[in-house]
Amino acid sequence: MALPAVKRDHPSSPAVAPRLRLVRPTRPVAGRSRQCAPSRSRTAEVARCRRGFRVACAVIVLMSALAMVRVELTVRATEASLTANALRKDIESERIRSERLEAQRTALATPARIEGIAETSMRMGSAHNVAYIEMPAAPGDQSGTRYADAGSDVSVSSGRIAGLLASIMRMTAGEAQVLLVGDAGLASSR
């Protein structure tokens, strides 16, 4: 099934090779040499295409940048809107809470309630006769608190007695305040 090898010899004399010849353009372009005209026009066309490609790339990059800036601004505006809505809700809830606290404060500050607490917890009653004492501030007292005189002219000459009375009054006022606040804490938890 194999075919015999065929040997073909070329004659030792040179064969006639096809003859090449130069074809000149039919119309020569003015101002250009005849040999460089085709290569120059091809180079100019390539340069023009490259410039067009660069311009197209620059336009695409510019349009992409503008689109990204627009998207970024839209996202920021949406975030700001959501934040503003959340803040509005927080402000409204704090306003409602403030109104509740104001109503509680008003209820707790009624004189009848304070009298009731004073009568039940401290066994106090209504005063029949009110007298005010004016006391100078103690030498080491930073508050500078002075009690007004309402008609009674009682003066204390000793600084020790005045300091003792001032500390007793502060302690009593502090205990009364604790009782009022403690009762308010119990009332608010109900």
Side-chain angles (χ1 to χ4, degrees):
M1 301 239 176
L3 295 173
V6 178
K7 183 177 179 184
R8 295 187 185 167
D9 288 333
H10 293 289
S12 59
S13 66
V16 178
R19 185 173 169 191
L20 298 177
R21 62 185 176 100
L22 180 64
V23 178
R24 299 188 188 269
T26 57
R27 288 182 159 184
V29 178
R32 292 188 180 175
S33 68
R34 292 181 181 174
Q35 294 175 352
C36 296
S39 65
R40 283 187 183 171
S41 66
R42 178 76 179 144
T43 305
E45 183 180 344
V46 168
R48 190 174 63 243
C49 288
R50 284 185 180 167
R51 272 182 277 158
F53 179 74
R54 287 181 188 146
V55 168
C57 287
V59 167
I60 289 172
V61 167
L62 181 65
M63 289 177 64
S64 298
L66 289 175
M68 284 189 275
V69 167
R70 182 180 181 276
V71 168
E72 178 67 23
L73 291 176
T74 304
V75 166
R76 285 187 184 182
T78 304
E79 286 176 350
S81 174
L82 291 174
T83 303
N85 287 337
L87 287 175
R88 255 187 241 115
K89 288 179 183 177
D90 288 345
I91 289 170
E92 183 64 23
S93 66
E94 289 299 320
R95 186 188 60 77
I96 291 170
R97 182 173 173 256
S98 172
E99 288 175 359
R100 283 184 193 153
L101 288 174
E102 183 65 28
Q104 287 177 352
R105 186 190 67 79
T106 304
L108 293 174
T110 58
R113 181 183 170 281
I114 295 172
E115 279 181 19
I117 292 172
E119 287 175 358
T120 58
S121 65
M122 301 174 83
R123 296 184 192 136
M124 298 175 103
S126 298
H128 299 289
N129 196 4
V130 179
Y132 296 95
I133 302 172
E134 180 180 341
M135 296 177 55
D141 190 14
Q142 296 294 330
S143 65
T145 307
R146 302 193 88 166
Y147 300 97
D149 183 15
S152 144
D153 193 18
V154 178
S155 62
V156 179
S157 60
S158 172
R160 286 182 156 179
I161 296 173
L164 180 65
L165 285 175
S167 37
I168 290 172
M169 291 175 75
R170 268 191 249 116
M171 185 176 65
T172 306
E175 287 177 1
Q177 186 176 12
V178 167
L179 287 172
L180 287 175
V181 171
D183 189 42
L186 292 174
S188 65
S189 65
R190 290 182 200 160

